[in-house]
């Protein structure tokens, strides 16, 4: 299909796509998830719900997001990013506002929580796809900066939520948070977020456009979803990083009770969560810089095994525990960079959005098992200590899967980032040449200028 529609305006620099994507998602689902704990007591006191019901909203939203990701995966490579992102953010914000309007009926409270996750699924994958389209040489760094901005938003969101709950109550707090979310996200997406060489007819992407009197293919190199599912590398990436998620999410959720059991004061144990968050921010940026320069099969296993060192020294006093938690947090941060990078380097960008959506849906459900398994182990064995060796074994298995991925099938094109920033259709021609060659493993030529 071809279109002669005029080229849409390009941001001043592709880095504005990063700013827009990160800022929009900083006030998206992560803002809701990061503040659930502050709403527990006010909701319990106002409605009479049990704490299990209120905290269960996290799991309900996670299930909703997993279902939503499966749906989004079918749309993200077919429609322009804004046509998915703007409705996604608007409906997410509307769902969050509805939580503050529900009657004191448990099922009625959980329904909008499900849709917070379901519509929230449309806010991340299209933005990641847009960012990836602009960057090849600095792809991991670009993704790391986006996730770093989101992480910063998650760290600041409790301050906003706490002030709103104290001054206007929990119901109005959700409404005002929803208003902030929709205003900031839609503004950022509208002004800054667009995939490179994104041409469409009424929102539906086209594979070819006409520019300067000639047809330009917008085909991308890589595998289809069906082809990817038949490769060992797809399952190695999905299972390898999924196993890491089970361990790291489980440790994060159980960190405070684990450390109080081991003798830390509750205040000190709570502070470890701040250390975890800051370390993950460092991991996202540092991991991006490193992964763009050192092969992922070298960096990945080292990072995946880092939490083992953390678990070995996760004991009082507070200083030693903080260092141990930092190892775990850095691994958590770099893991997000690894997922996007490994998919594009081994499976390509042709159906990147669909593949990422499916992997993230499975990853989300798998990671939800981590806290459950640690809690079950504690209840059955009376301590977290017998579970720790099992977690270490899981990490070793994950590291082995990533270490055996082999050479990149789609290594970076030399000079691509500079070319994309200067002439996005020229960059599209380079990629379409690679896609049409039928030899994704061949050495890449320098993009023509």
């Amino acid at each position: 299909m071809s279109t002669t529609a005029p080229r849409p305006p390009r941001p001043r620099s592709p880095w504005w796509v990063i700013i827009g994507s990160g800022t929009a998602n900083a006030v998206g689902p992560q803002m809701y998830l990061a503040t659930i704990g502050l709403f527990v007591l006010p909701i319990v006191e106002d409605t009479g719900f049990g704490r299990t019901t209120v905290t269960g909203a996290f799991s309900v939203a996670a299930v909703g997001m997993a279902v939503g990701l499966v749906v989004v995966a079918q749309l993200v490579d077919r429609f322009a990013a804004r046509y998915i992102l703007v409705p996604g953010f608007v409906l997410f914000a509307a769902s969050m506002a509805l939580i503050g309007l529900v009657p004191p009926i448990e099922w009625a409270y959980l329904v909008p929580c499900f849709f917070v996750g379901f519509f929230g699924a449309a806010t991340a994958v299209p933005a990641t796809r847009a960012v990836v389209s602009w960057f090849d040489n600095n792809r991991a760094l670009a993704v790391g900066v986006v996730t770093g901005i989101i992480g910063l938003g998650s760290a600041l969101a409790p301050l906003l939520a706490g002030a709103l709950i104290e001054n206007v109550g929990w119901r109005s707090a959700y409404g005002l948070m929803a208003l902030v979310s929709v205003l900031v996200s839609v503004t950022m997406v509208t002004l800054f977020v667009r995939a490179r060489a994104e041409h469409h007819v009424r929102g539906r992407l086209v594979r070819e456009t006409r520019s300067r009197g000639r047809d330009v293919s917008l085909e991308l190199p890589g595998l289809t979803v069906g082809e990817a599912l038949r490769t060992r590398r797809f399952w190695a990436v999905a299972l390898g990083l999924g196993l890491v998620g089970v361990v790291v999410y489980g440790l994060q959720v159980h960190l405070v009770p684990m450390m109080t059991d081991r003798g830390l004061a509750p205040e000190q144990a709570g502070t470890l969560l701040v250390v975890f968050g800051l370390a993950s921010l460092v991991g996202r940026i540092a991991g991006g810089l490193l992964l763009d320069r050192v092969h992922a099969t070298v960096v990945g296993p080292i990072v995946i095994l880092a939490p083992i060192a953390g678990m070995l020294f996760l004991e009082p006093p507070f200083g030693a525990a903080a260092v141990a938690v930092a190892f775990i947090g850095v691994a958590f941060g770099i893991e997000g960079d690894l997922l996007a990078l490994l998919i594009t380097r081994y499976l390509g960008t042709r159906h990147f959005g669909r593949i990422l959506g499916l992997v993230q849906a499975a990853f989300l459900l798998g990671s939800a098992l981590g806290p459950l398994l640690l809690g079950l182990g504690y209840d059955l064995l009376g301590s977290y200590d017998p579970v720790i060796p099992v977690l270490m074994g899981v990490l070793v298995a994950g590291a082995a899967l990533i270490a055996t991925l082999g050479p990149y099938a789609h290594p970076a094109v030399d000079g691509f980032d500079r070319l994309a920033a200067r002439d996005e259709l020229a960059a599209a021609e380079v990629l379409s040449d690679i896609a049409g060659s039928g030899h994704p493993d061949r050495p890449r030529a320098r993009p023509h200028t």
Side-chain angles (χ1 to χ4, degrees), residues 243-276:
L243 290 173
V244 179
V246 170
V247 174
V248 175
Y249 276 99
L251 288 173
Q252 182 186 18
V253 171
H254 286 270
L255 182 61
V256 172
M258 180 185 296
M259 294 313 298
T260 53
D261 286 351
R262 294 181 176 183
L264 279 187
E267 298 79 12
Q268 290 180 317
T271 303
L272 291 178
L273 289 176
V274 178
V275 175
F276 181 93

Side-chain angles (χ1 to χ4, degrees), residues 7-161:
R7 187 189 309 178
R10 191 157 38 109
R12 287 171 289 174
S13 162
W15 287 93
W16 282 104
V17 180
I18 292 176
I19 300 299
S21 298
T23 305
N25 276 283
V27 294
Q30 289 302 318
M31 180 172 68
Y32 167 77
L33 297 174
T35 57
I36 283 180
L38 295 175
F39 283 88
V40 172
L41 292 180
I43 293 176
V44 168
E45 292 173 0
D46 182 52
T47 63
F49 297 160
R51 293 191 184 188
T52 301
T53 298
V54 180
T55 57
F58 182 97
S59 298
V60 171
V63 172
M65 185 167 287
V67 175
L69 282 168
V70 174
V71 176
V72 171
Q74 307 308 311
L75 305 175
V76 68
D77 292 315
R78 300 176 183 177
F79 293 90
R82 292 176 185 174
Y83 282 74
I84 302 174
L85 288 170
V86 171
F89 277 113
V90 170
L91 293 170
F92 156 76
S95 300
M96 186 163 62
L98 284 175
I99 297 175
L101 301 176
V102 296
I105 302 172
E106 292 186 354
W107 67 264
Y109 164 71
L110 294 175
V111 168
C113 297
F114 174 87
F115 285 106
V116 160
F118 181 81
F119 292 121
T123 64
V125 175
T128 302
R129 180 183 177 277
V131 169
V132 164
S133 72
W134 287 99
F135 295 89
D136 198 6
N137 313 116
N138 293 297
R139 180 169 289 165
L141 176 61
V143 173
V145 173
V146 170
T147 57
I149 294 172
I150 297 171
L152 182 61
S154 298
L156 297 177
L159 300 178
L160 172 63

Side-chain angles (χ1 to χ4, degrees), residues 118-372:
F118 181 81
F119 292 121
T123 64
V125 175
T128 302
R129 180 183 177 277
V131 169
V132 164
S133 72
W134 287 99
F135 295 89
D136 198 6
N137 313 116
N138 293 297
R139 180 169 289 165
L141 176 61
V143 173
V145 173
V146 170
T147 57
I149 294 172
I150 297 171
L152 182 61
S154 298
L156 297 177
L159 300 178
L160 172 63
L164 290 174
I165 292 170
E166 183 177 350
N167 288 282
V168 299
W170 74 269
R171 292 183 182 274
S172 295
Y174 268 132
L176 291 172
M177 286 169 60
L179 181 62
V180 171
S181 175
V182 73
L183 289 177
V184 174
S185 62
V186 172
T187 300
M188 289 293 106
V189 169
T190 303
L191 290 178
F192 302 123
V193 181
R194 179 177 64 82
R196 179 195 49 76
E198 186 177 67
H199 290 250
H200 60 87
V201 175
R202 292 187 293 276
R204 193 172 186 88
L205 296 174
V206 299
R207 296 183 179 179
E208 187 177 275
T209 188
R210 191 164 183 81
S211 175
R212 301 166 190 153
R214 60 194 175 91
D215 293 331
V216 178
S217 172
L218 302 177
E219 194 69 44
L220 296 171
L223 306 179
T224 65
V225 175
E227 291 169 341
L229 289 172
R230 292 192 291 272
T231 66
R232 180 190 69 84
R233 286 168 164 174
F234 172 88
W235 296 105
V237 170
L239 291 175
L241 295 185
L243 290 173
V244 179
V246 170
V247 174
V248 175
Y249 276 99
L251 288 173
Q252 182 186 18
V253 171
H254 286 270
L255 182 61
V256 172
M258 180 185 296
M259 294 313 298
T260 53
D261 286 351
R262 294 181 176 183
L264 279 187
E267 298 79 12
Q268 290 180 317
T271 303
L272 291 178
L273 289 176
V274 178
V275 175
F276 181 93
L278 293 175
S280 69
L281 285 175
V282 173
R284 285 166 177 144
I285 307 300
L289 284 168
L290 193 59
L291 286 167
D292 284 325
R293 291 158 178 80
V294 182
H295 202 283
T297 56
V298 176
V299 178
I302 294 173
V303 170
I304 290 171
L305 295 175
I308 292 180
M311 285 186 277
L312 288 173
F313 297 99
L314 197 56
E315 299 284 349
F318 175 80
V323 172
V325 168
F327 274 95
I328 301 170
V330 167
F332 177 79
I334 297 180
E335 184 183 24
D337 300 347
L338 269 173
L339 179 58
L341 184 76
L342 291 177
I343 289 176
T344 59
R345 292 289 179 243
Y346 288 107
L347 306 175
T349 53
R350 182 180 178 187
H351 284 175
F352 168 74
R354 285 183 236 184
I355 295 171
L356 178 64
L358 292 174
V359 172
Q360 284 192 331
F363 180 81
L364 192 63
L365 292 175
S367 297
L369 291 175
L372 177 64

